[in-house]
Structures are given as structure tokens and as C-alpha cells.
Amino acid sequence: MAKASKTTVPGIHIGIGDKDRAAIAQGLSRLLADTYTLYLTTHNFHWNVTGPMFNTLHTMFETQYTEQWTALDEIAERIRALGFAAPASYADFARLSSIKEGPAVDGGDWRAMVQQLVSGNEAVCRTAREVLEIADDADDAPTEDLLTQRLQTHEKYAWMLRSLLE
């Protein structure tokens, strides 16, 4: 039987040092975990909201979780572009996320749902800001751009959701 030839993976030389790439990828992994946790919560509330705010919230939650689903892929692909594996299991996400699973919310308690989503969006913003500092120090413009987009989106979602509670 012929011996398989070894394949050498070329090093990554994109102008960001190995330590910086690792720190950025670790931060993005935390952002991915936060985003996935928020995605699951938002989708849960989309399915289970009831009451007089049903149509408004059902539609709003769908818009948000659909956007978050797309963002998950963008964040994971950036981690891969930096040369690292993206976390991809519930165990990984639970370990890495700053957002802990909230208490079960009755579908009719829309205010509790909205408050939980405000908190989740704000948590994603805090994580994104932490990683943005790391990316900025490393002159990683593509990651900075991604994080700026995530901040704009989640700050807007938090504002819109908070407005419902006023």
C-alpha cells in the first residue's frame, strides 16, 4: 500500500502576528457564543410570544433572529480567516457566552421577553467593544469593520426593544 504524502499547510502571513490573531480569534469566539445564545433566545420568543403585542413582536423578533443567523456565519468565517477553528457546539457556546440562559418566560409576558432581549443585545455590545480594542491594537481592519457593524446592529436592537418598555 502506498504511503500517503504529507501535506504542509502554509503559514498565515496576513500582517497580524500569531499572538494577536489568537487573541482576536478568542474574542470573536466569545462574540460568536454571545450571538448564538441571543439568536436562540430571540427565536424562542418569536415562536412563543402571545397576547396583544403578538404581531408586532413576532415580526420584530423574526427580523432580528434572521439577521443574527447571518451574522453567526460572518463571525465564524472571520475566525477561520484568522486561522482558528470556530466554536460550534452547545457546550462551547455555554462555556464562552457572557449571556446565561434566562428563566423561562411565559409567552404572554412580552415585557419580560423584551427586557431579556435588551439585556442580551447589550451583552453582545459589551463583548464586541472588548474585542474591538484587541483588533484595533493589532490593526485588524476587517475584524474592526465586522465588530463596528455588529455594534451598530445590536445597539439599534437594544434601543428599539427598550422603546417598547417605555
Side-chain angles (χ1 to χ4, degrees), residues 14-158:
I14 59 173
I16 303 171
D18 293 347
K19 282 179 60 177
D20 286 337
R21 284 188 303 100
I24 295 164
Q26 177 58 34
L28 287 173
S29 293
R30 290 185 297 113
L31 181 68
L32 184 66
D34 280 357
T35 303
Y36 193 81
T37 303
L38 181 60
Y39 160 80
L40 286 175
T41 302
T42 307
H43 210 150
N44 168 19
F45 292 166
H46 164 79
W47 286 331
N48 292 302
V49 68
T50 61
M53 291 292 291
F54 170 79
N55 194 51
T56 299
L57 293 176
H58 185 76
T59 301
M60 176 186 262
F61 296 162
E62 182 175 20
T63 299
Q64 291 181 7
Y65 80 70
T66 300
E67 191 281 333
Q68 291 161 2
W69 181 255
T70 301
L72 289 167
D73 197 52
E74 293 169 0
I75 297 165
E77 287 179 356
R78 184 65 192 150
I79 295 167
R80 295 297 299 138
L82 292 168
F84 295 88
S89 71
Y90 290 120
D92 287 341
F93 292 145
R95 179 177 48 81
L96 291 167
S97 182
S98 70
I99 303 170
K100 300 308 169 204
E101 187 173 8
V105 176
D106 176 83
D109 190 357
W110 67 269
R111 288 182 178 279
M113 289 179 168
V114 169
Q115 183 56 59
Q116 199 169 330
L117 293 177
V118 167
S119 296
N121 278 282
E122 289 175 346
V124 171
C125 289
R126 290 189 299 274
T127 299
R129 285 187 194 290
E130 291 171 11
V131 184
L132 184 59
E133 286 188 33
I134 298 166
D136 182 50
D137 290 345
D139 295 323
D140 180 359
T143 299
E144 290 176 83
D145 183 53
L146 172 66
L147 293 166
T148 299
Q149 290 175 37
R150 299 313 315 142
L151 277 166
Q152 288 175 327
T153 298
H154 290 285
E155 286 178 354
K156 182 177 180 178
Y157 287 170

